[in-house]
């Protein structure tokens, strides 16, 4: 089975003006992109709808977070059904910044994932270890614990709407990218985990993408790894080089 290459751009809390947002969209609108690659960008919530309206239709839009509930007294939250109603097909959940800065546990991430799928969204589910956890030899244990919470709330059929993003925390925004071998090892082990925890079919078909200091310069080598099915790009998604990352698999 061939898994479609997937490149996500996570703008995080950037940019800070409507004009700058329009420029980022224009770069993508003008670019020649590999049509074999699925491309999704995740602007801040306030820009989701304008980006959806301005952006070429072969690029999809993702929210960076959504709540466990669809409506009610939850000040400041965005609900999965609201995203679907606005025409947003994807949401990023479990990003390490949400886990560490906003106290989201694996259980909360799993509940958000369940709610997002129930509303009809697709989920980019982020997992990854800290430097201390890697140095302690616990990388796979940590990644599996983060995934296990989700596995228990999903049925096999749900996995066609999940993309797993392996993002080692030590590589996010640090310029310290995982080597191609390091990424491949975790991706392969994660696929092995999915084989036993869910099914061989789900393990084979689920895309596992890498995130953490991906640039145009390092993306080509990472993309050659058999279990690296794409990227979730932070900083470089705000620069013209994002186009080269999208085209990393082009020959
Ligand atoms: O979601 C994206 C990741 O946090 C990677 O961010 P970065 O490319 O700036 O390291």
């Amino acid at each position: 089975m061939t898994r479609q290459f997937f490149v996500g751009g996570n703008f995080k809390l950037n940019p800070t003006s409507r004009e700058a947002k329009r420029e980022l969209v224009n770069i993508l609108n003008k670019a020649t992109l590999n049509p074999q690659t699925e491309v999704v960008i995740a602007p801040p919530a306030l820009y989701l709808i304008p980006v959806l309206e301005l952006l070429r239709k072969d690029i999809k839009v993702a929210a960076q977070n959504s709540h466990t509930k669809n409506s009610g007294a939850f000040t400041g939250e965005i609900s999965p059904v609201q995203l679907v109603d606005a025409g947003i097909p994807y949401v990023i959940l479990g990003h390490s910044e949400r886990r560490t800065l906003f106290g989201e546990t694996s259980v909360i991430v799993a509940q958000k994932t369940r709610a997002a799928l129930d509303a009809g969204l697709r989920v980019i589910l982020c997992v990854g270890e800290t430097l201390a956890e890697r140095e302690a030899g616990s990388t796979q244990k940590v990644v599996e614990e983060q995934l296990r919470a989700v596995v228990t709330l999903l049925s096999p059929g749900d996995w066609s709407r999940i993309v797993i993003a392996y993002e080692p925390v030590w590589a996010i925004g640090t310029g310290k990218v995982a080597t191609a071998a390091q990424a491949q090892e975790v991706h392969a082990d994660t696929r092995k985990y999915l084989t036993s925890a869910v099914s061989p079919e789900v393990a084979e078909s689920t895309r596992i993408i890498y995130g953490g200091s991906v640039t145009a310069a390092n993306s080509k080598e990472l993309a050659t790894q058999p279990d690296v099915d794409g990227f979730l790009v932070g900083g470089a998604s705000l620069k013209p080089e994002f186009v080269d990352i999208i085209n990393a698999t082009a020959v």
Side-chain angles (χ1 to χ4, degrees), residues 10 12 95 97 167 171-174 211-214 232-236:
N10 178 8
K12 308 192 179 185
H95 191 280
E97 287 145 22
E167 300 207 312
I172 295 176
T174 59
S213 296
V214 175
L232 187 56
V233 184

Side-chain angles (χ1 to χ4, degrees), residues 187-203:
H187 287 220
D189 287 347
T190 301
R191 215 177 287 292
K192 213 179 290 165
Y193 167 71
L194 289 177
T195 303
S196 58
V198 188
S199 76
E201 293 74 25
V202 164

